[in-house]
Amino acid sequence: MTGGEHMAQVLRATGIYTLPGGTPADWEQEAFCAGLDKLEAGLDALEQSLFALTAPEEKLAQWEALFRAQASSGELAARRRGVAKALGLRFQRPTLRAIQEDVLPAAGIAGTVAEAEGRLMVAGTLEGVTEQEARRLLDRLLPAHMEWELALEG
């Protein structure tokens, strides 16, 4: 129910207004509804922009600018997931699972991570970032005491 519909419902419930249509009271109420509808649309757009997982494409670049030197050109769902992961990164024990689920999407990589010969082996595909940007982010987000390699597919 829109704000205007709710207003009409409340006005009718008072018993003072009948709002049969075509009366000055109806016109005034319709004018209020038009203003409320525009305001509600603006608030809905603002609310979507406030969260990385719902942000429209044009606002997502602003979120990405907080941690990436380059805005992603990947698909919208992957970009949203990457931004959410980057914004949600916490200092936790760097398990392989945590790195794969949290760090790789934040770096713009869809892939896997394994440990071999004392180093991390990251394999996957880029999701809208350049290899240089992915490497920069991995260097920044992976544990500093571990060496790593990136093998890109395709």
Side-chain angles (χ1 to χ4, degrees), residues 14-88:
T14 66
I16 299 171
Y17 299 95
T18 57
L19 303 175
T23 68
D26 287 297
W27 302 332
E28 188 172 348
Q29 197 270 334
E30 288 169 9
F32 283 131
C33 288
L36 286 174
D37 289 346
K38 190 171 185 175
L39 182 62
E40 285 175 345
L43 288 174
D44 287 345
L46 175 63
E47 185 179 23
Q48 285 185 337
S49 297
L50 289 175
F51 302 99
L53 290 175
T54 57
E57 194 166 356
E58 62 274 4
K59 294 293 182 181
L60 203 52
Q62 293 174 343
W63 282 104
E64 289 172 323
L66 295 174
F67 65 94
R68 283 188 179 157
Q70 168 206 356
S72 175
S73 62
E75 71 174 58
L76 190 58
R79 290 178 63 197
R80 286 177 172 161
R81 187 174 52 254
V83 170
K85 291 293 184 180
L87 294 172

